[in-house]
Amino acid sequence: MDKFIIEGGSVLTGTIPISGSKNAALPLMAASLLLDGTTKLTNIPDLVDIRTFCNVLRVTGAKVTYSAEEQSLLIDPENIYYPESPYDLVRKMRASFYMLGALLGRMGEAKVSLPGGCAWGPRPVDLHIEGLKALGASIELDKGYVLASRPAEGLKGGSFNLSPSSVGATVNLILASVLGSNTCVISNAAKEPDVVQLCYFLKQAGADIQGEGSSQITVKGVKQLNAVQFRNASDRIETGTFMILAAMHPLNKIKLTNADPEELGHFLSWFHKTGASTKIDKDIIEIIPPKIINAVSVATEVYPGFPTDLQAQWATLMTLANGESVVTDSIYSDRFSYVPELGRLGASVKVKNNSAIIKGPNKMAGTSIMSTDLRASVSLVMAAMFATGISQVLRVYHLDRGYERLEDKLNGVGASIRRVTEQHESE
Ligand code: UD1
């Protein structure tokens, strides 16, 4: 199991290229099963989650070829025959649950494992199931699996209101309804860029979808979709992560390239409240860090609000800010496993209900800390980079799920991070 040895105190200078988005790529990969012919996706990052999802697709009989060098993916579903996603794969990555909509849409039936719990508490899928039922699918639960089927001509159609709005459920409902002969209306649909991109992709393939990016999406079933070539978006969460990192030291001089500033939503306005400023030129974002970081409280919301995937990184920045701030997660209330680890570095952070209360500025000193999930892990790496002395961040496999070559990118701008593979680390 790999760990990072991090020497704190480096000033960061240089350019970091942003990779393709993981969360946007996964729905495209599932949707490729609905297209006739070989689809080519580009700007696909080399991440453990992408490789896991390639295997999820291969289980069905689809031909999947990933090139890390080209960052491209070829998906040909011509010989698809097996409408299942087994527990062993789904438990590794919840996005595998997108196979429910994709297999139902393509093959008319699906057997997909329920994803189960997650490091930050329950992440229900009831809306995915209720939504599919409302649109005309038959669904049964059996021994931890969802068994779904639909009439041969496609879902019967109808409308479903998502309460609360859910990215995952919106994606699944679109995937299930895009092939067919009826109309499905999703209200309170997710407006996240990942959903909008999925709709653009499907429309390029011949789908009839209206309203993407608004709270009502209308999908009129079509008979056939044809393979396309499509470039995946830049990772807005990686972009936000490195912007926060750049703001953590007044002498940092960081430029991000291949970014998509438009997709940051309202994050930019909170970022500027810290005293940081940005110079944006097309896909380049230059960050000018504040001399003194202002304490800025945030609460996560659906897009374009503050993303739940950036709250741990924000809390880490706030440990260096001047004053008290509160980081509230209204999407996932238990997502604070990183807080005790920040405490081990010397930060003053307490969790109350679904909020972290941070009293800054803190002086942190390097020690051993443990990664618990993807975004928590990157926050601990960031904290360790600004703590004095040496830190060990254990279990960095979480990071490899969602940050492409993190240590290479950060060492490239002056960080001191060494990856160590320990075969016999005790659990
Ligand atoms: C969420 C984030 C997404 C992020 C991902 C991984 C939001 C809106 N979504 O997506 O940006 O990339 O985590 O970190 O910020 N819910 C139900 N029943 C369901 C599905 C969801 O009650 O069937 C609830 C969830 O508990 C949550 C909210 O709806 O409170 C939003 O969930 P959803 O968008 O589906 O979560 P993810 O797809 O995991």
Side-chain angles (χ1 to χ4, degrees), residues 23 120 123-128 164-168 192 302 308-309 331-332 335:
N23 288 345
W120 70 77
R123 292 177 74 182
V125 288
D126 56 316
L127 291 172
H128 304 232
S165 179
S166 152
V167 175
E192 267 68 1
V302 296
T308 173
D309 279 348
I331 308 287
Y332 286 112
R335 210 174 176 182

Side-chain angles (χ1 to χ4, degrees), residues 99-257:
M99 293 300 281
L100 185 62
L103 289 171
L104 195 60
R106 172 82 199 200
M107 303 181 75
E109 57 178 326
K111 180 178 176 188
V112 177
S113 168
L114 282 164
C118 137
W120 70 77
R123 292 177 74 182
V125 288
D126 56 316
L127 291 172
H128 304 232
I129 292 171
E130 292 311 315
L132 289 173
K133 276 188 191 166
L135 300 178
S138 304
I139 299 208
E140 280 172 43
L141 299 184
D142 184 40
K143 300 189 191 92
Y145 278 79
V146 181
L147 313 180
S149 61
R150 58 141 170 86
E153 66 279 10
L155 290 177
K156 287 191 210 93
S159 59
F160 188 72
N161 181 59
L162 291 170
S163 179
S165 179
S166 152
V167 175
T170 305
V171 168
N172 250 333
L173 296 185
I174 293 171
L175 293 175
S177 56
V178 70
L179 283 175
S181 44
N182 296 311
T183 299
C184 298
V185 179
I186 308 161
S187 49
N188 202 23
K191 298 175 190 165
E192 267 68 1
D194 312 350
V195 172
V196 174
Q197 168 170 285
L198 170 69
C199 294
Y200 287 166
F201 169 80
L202 287 168
K203 282 163 92 154
Q204 196 179 317
D208 185 345
I209 302 175
Q210 281 168 21
E212 68 276 5
S214 77
S215 56
Q216 182 161 302
I217 298 180
T218 303
V219 184
K220 286 187 185 156
V222 295
K223 291 276 165 282
Q224 196 186 347
L225 297 166
N226 293 312
V228 293
Q229 186 162 334
F230 193 88
R231 183 179 163 84
N232 179 38
S234 303
D235 194 319
R236 68 191 169 101
I237 303 302
E238 190 192 24
T239 305
T241 301
F242 292 148
M243 286 174 69
I244 294 171
L245 178 70
M248 289 175 76
H249 193 290
L251 299 179
N252 285 347
K253 281 190 186 149
I254 293 293
K255 248 188 211 177
L256 306 177
T257 55

Side-chain angles (χ1 to χ4, degrees), residues 64 66 70 88 102 129 139 174 195 198 206 221 230 240 248-249 262 266 313 370 374 384 387 402 407 409:
V64 181
Y66 180 62
E70 278 186 21
D88 265 359
I129 292 171
I139 299 208
I174 293 171
V195 172
L198 170 69
F230 193 88
M248 289 175 76
H249 193 290
E262 300 268 304
H266 297 162
Q313 299 89 313
M370 177 93 80
L374 173 53
E407 71 270 35
K409 286 190 183 185

Side-chain angles (χ1 to χ4, degrees), residues 16-181:
I16 309 179
I18 300 300
S19 296
S21 163
K22 166 179 87 78
N23 288 345
L26 298 170
L28 297 184
M29 291 169 70
S32 298
L33 294 186
L34 300 167
L35 278 45
D36 289 341
T38 302
T39 290
K40 182 172 186 182
L41 303 174
T42 57
N43 203 29
I44 303 294
D46 186 10
L47 296 171
V48 171
D49 272 10
I50 296 288
R51 289 179 183 269
T52 302
F53 205 60
C54 286
N55 289 334
V56 173
L57 296 177
R58 287 185 185 114
V59 167
T60 68
K63 195 171 165 209
V64 181
T65 315
Y66 180 62
S67 162
E69 203 181 324
E70 278 186 21
Q71 303 252 296
S72 71
L73 189 54
L74 297 174
I75 300 172
D76 176 5
E78 193 190 337
N79 294 321
I80 190 168
Y81 70 98
Y82 188 64
E84 283 197 28
S85 298
Y87 177 63
D88 265 359
L89 288 170
V90 179
R91 75 183 165 82
K92 285 188 188 157
M93 196 184 63
R94 294 179 54 85
S96 311
F97 204 62
Y98 291 152
M99 293 300 281
L100 185 62
L103 289 171
L104 195 60
R106 172 82 199 200
M107 303 181 75
E109 57 178 326
K111 180 178 176 188
V112 177
S113 168
L114 282 164
C118 137
W120 70 77
R123 292 177 74 182
V125 288
D126 56 316
L127 291 172
H128 304 232
I129 292 171
E130 292 311 315
L132 289 173
K133 276 188 191 166
L135 300 178
S138 304
I139 299 208
E140 280 172 43
L141 299 184
D142 184 40
K143 300 189 191 92
Y145 278 79
V146 181
L147 313 180
S149 61
R150 58 141 170 86
E153 66 279 10
L155 290 177
K156 287 191 210 93
S159 59
F160 188 72
N161 181 59
L162 291 170
S163 179
S165 179
S166 152
V167 175
T170 305
V171 168
N172 250 333
L173 296 185
I174 293 171
L175 293 175
S177 56
V178 70
L179 283 175
S181 44

Side-chain angles (χ1 to χ4, degrees), residues 236-294:
R236 68 191 169 101
I237 303 302
E238 190 192 24
T239 305
T241 301
F242 292 148
M243 286 174 69
I244 294 171
L245 178 70
M248 289 175 76
H249 193 290
L251 299 179
N252 285 347
K253 281 190 186 149
I254 293 293
K255 248 188 211 177
L256 306 177
T257 55
N258 190 36
D260 191 344
E262 300 268 304
E263 288 200 351
L264 291 172
H266 297 162
F267 171 75
L268 262 184
S269 57
W270 277 292
F271 187 68
H272 291 151
K273 282 184 193 160
T274 65
S277 54
T278 45
K279 283 188 197 157
I280 296 178
D281 180 16
K282 298 191 188 91
D283 67 344
I284 300 173
I285 305 176
E286 188 180 339
I287 298 100
I288 300 109
K291 291 210 167 49
I292 295 172
I293 303 166
N294 298 326

